[in-house]
């Protein structure tokens, strides 16, 4: 049984008040349409076609995946017309699942339930019962609760408008019957559109039993039409991600102030304070603690690491039991070994820091290789850039860099060497030696500061 998916994504999204096509707006850093595509991929689909239109080539251009089939619907003449455009792409599919590109939180489990019901019926609708069904197509059932048809809000009379079971739009249809039904759609309705929903009455007329399934949570079938709904779904998504992590044993001080915009793998006994934001792919070892207001992107963090408040960590690797922050910034390709300490207002870029070394205060370390047990004093700067090119700095094991040192790269400080505070180091420092380049202090006893003239 081959399963094809058609994702409808041609609509304009006027209420987003944006020049970006609606389905490219992001939820947790991923376009709405990306969520739908990714979920579709989890249920064993053979083919995915996306019907796009509004926003033109911007939509396909936003997705790299080579296996997606893009179908243009130049004019949005209705959901039935949209699916019609995708029929050639669905050739040979035994079953076709219709999804909406602006309904991002649909879950795999719900789609699986639809597929299950589809074993016994050529048409399965995903429906929901809402306190306020306004705007949706209504599911009309007979006295035996058998589905008869769907009536759109704009075509409905008072009796139908009182029904609270709605069409979510998501449905599973037998492939060959879909073709024959779509071919017979007409647009003689209140909106002058080709309604996909009219296939329900056609199926019933042919004696087919139309079945239904329901999502566990109505958020799964909520569409995004404006920025308010976008924010609501973002919160909902974040809350459920937070719950998954808490069930894995993570302590979240406040799940309402937690954001995961990518993937997070965690060890045991991880504790996250408020306003910690993860993006990209992050791995945390056991016993990691992260302080409030910290952003971590695409990084690997070892066990026992403590990250204090207000750190920004991007594409870094941090070894076991390291201590970072508060107010530290680790930039791409910062690689810290075990037990490294990086303190406040320290920026580290494309540098390796070996075991037990400390850079505790107010430093810039760029394009640098630091050995073991090195102490980098407050205010040390690697001058790695001459305005055109970048150069490396090497600081070998057990070296001691006095405070307020400038290391003008390319330069090497040998093992065990000491650089006196306030030095500007422009030449290599041999191992186990002292380098000092500050000017000598002078003294004038009894010297008076100038006074303001009257
Ligand atoms: C549709 C359903 C309605 C259901 C509702 C759920 C029809 C006729 N009605 O209503 O029963 O309750 O969804 O939200 O199917 N789209 C296209 N091309 C088009 C028209 C729509 O790609 O020509 C896409 C939109 O981008 C959107 C989806 O289809 O993702 C639904 O379109 P929308 O206009 O929101 O559907 P409704 O008419 O509100
Ligand atoms: Ca709609």
């Amino acid at each position: 049984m081959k399963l094809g998916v058609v994702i409808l994504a041609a609509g304009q999204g006027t209420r987003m008040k944006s020049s970006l096509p609606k389905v490219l707006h992001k939820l947790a850093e991923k376009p709405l349409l990306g969520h739908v595509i990714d979920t579709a991929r989890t249920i064993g689909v053979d083919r995915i076609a996306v019907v796009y239109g509004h926003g033109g080539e911007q939509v396909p251009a936003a997705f790299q995946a080579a296996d997606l089939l893009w179908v243009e619907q130049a004019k949005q003449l209705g959901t039935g017309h949209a699916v019609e455009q995708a029929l050639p792409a669905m050739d040979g599919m035994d079953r076709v699942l219709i999804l909406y590109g602006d309904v991002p939180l649909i879950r795999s489990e719900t789609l699986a339930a639809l597929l299950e019901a589809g074993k016994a019926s050529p048409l399965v609708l995903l429906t929901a019962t809402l306190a306020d069904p306004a705007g949706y197509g209504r599911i009309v059932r007979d006295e035996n609760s058998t589905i008869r048809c769907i009536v759109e809000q704009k075509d409905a009379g008072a009796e139908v408008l009182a029904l609270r079971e709605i069409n979510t739009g998501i449905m599973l249809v037998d492939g060959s019957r879909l073709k024959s039904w779509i071919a017979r759609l007409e647009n003689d309705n209140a909106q002058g559109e080709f309604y996909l929903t009219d296939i329900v009455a056609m199926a019933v007329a042919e004696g087919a039993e139309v079945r239904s399934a329901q999502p566990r949570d109505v958020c799964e079938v909520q569409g995004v039409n404006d920025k308010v709904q976008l924010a609501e779904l973002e919160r909902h998504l974040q809350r459920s991600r937070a719950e998954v992590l808490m069930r894995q044993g993570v302590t979240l001080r406040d799940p309402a102030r937690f954001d995961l915009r990518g993937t997070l793998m965690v060890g045991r006994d991880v504790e996250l304070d408020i306003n910690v934001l993860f993006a990209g792919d992050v791995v945390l070892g056991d016993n990691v603690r992260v302080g409030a207001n910290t952003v971590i992107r695409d990084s690997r963090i070892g066990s026992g690491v403590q990250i204090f408040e207000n750190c920004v960590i991007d594409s870094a690797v941090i070894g076991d039991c390291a201590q970072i922050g508060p107010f530290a910034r680790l930039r791409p390709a910062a690689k810290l070994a075990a037990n490294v300490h990086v303190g406040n207002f320290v920026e580290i870029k494309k540098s390796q820091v070996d075991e037990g070394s400390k850079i505790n205060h107010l430093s810039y370390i760029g394009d640098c290789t630091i050995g073991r047990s090195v102490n980098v004093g407050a205010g040390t700067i690697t001058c790695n850039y001459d305005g055109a090119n970048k150069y490396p700095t090497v600081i070998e094991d057990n070296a001691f860099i006095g405070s307020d040192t400038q290391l003008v790269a390319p330069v090497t400080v040998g093992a065990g060497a000491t650089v006196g505070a306030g030095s500007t180091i422009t030449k290599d420092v041999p191992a186990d030696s002292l380098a000092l380049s500050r000017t000598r202090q002078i003294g004038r006893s009894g010297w008076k500061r100038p006074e303001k003239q009257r």
Side-chain angles (χ1 to χ4, degrees), residues 26-29 32 35 104-105 217 219-220 222 224 226-246 252-261 274-278:
K26 288 177 178 170
L27 212 53
E29 252 176 40
L32 297 176
H35 286 269
L105 298 189
D217 186 330
C219 280
E220 287 183 57
Q222 264 166 24
V224 173
D226 59 27
K227 296 290 173 77
V228 174
Q229 291 169 339
L230 185 67
E232 279 168 7
L233 290 193
E234 174 81 35
R235 254 312 96 209
H236 186 83
L237 176 62
Q238 293 303 344
R239 175 74 208 194
S240 60
R241 288 182 174 182
E243 266 175 41
V244 168
L245 287 163
M246 290 187 289
L252 290 182
R253 288 294 170 73
D254 182 358
R257 285 179 288 173
F258 164 82
D259 288 87
L260 172 54
R261 300 180 187 164
I274 59 166
N275 295 328
V276 178
L277 163 54
F278 293 96

Side-chain angles (χ1 to χ4, degrees), residues 8 10-11 73 76-79 82 100 102 136-137 152 167-168 195 197:
L8 302 187
Q73 185 195 23
Q76 281 80 67
L77 302 179
T79 50
Y100 284 4
D102 57 358
Y136 291 96
E152 291 303 300
N167 172 35
T168 65
Y195 290 167
T197 45

Side-chain angles (χ1 to χ4, degrees), residues 7-13 15 22-23 51-54 73 75-83 98-103 133 135-139 150-155 166-171 189 191 193-198 221-225:
I7 303 175
L8 302 187
Q12 174 165 20
R15 281 182 283 156
K22 176 159 80 172
V23 293
V51 181
Y52 71 101
H54 218 89
Q73 185 195 23
K75 271 198 186 146
Q76 281 80 67
L77 302 179
T79 50
H81 180 260
V83 171
I98 313 288
L99 299 176
Y100 284 4
D102 57 358
V103 180
Y136 291 96
R138 305 298 203 284
I139 307 293
I150 295 176
V151 179
E152 291 303 300
Q153 164 97 14
K154 287 186 178 145
D155 300 289
I166 61 101
N167 172 35
T168 65
I170 292 172
M171 58 178 82
N189 50 52
Q191 302 183 77
E193 285 183 5
F194 295 94
Y195 290 167
L196 177 61
T197 45
D198 285 349
V221 295
Q222 264 166 24
V224 173
N225 294 302

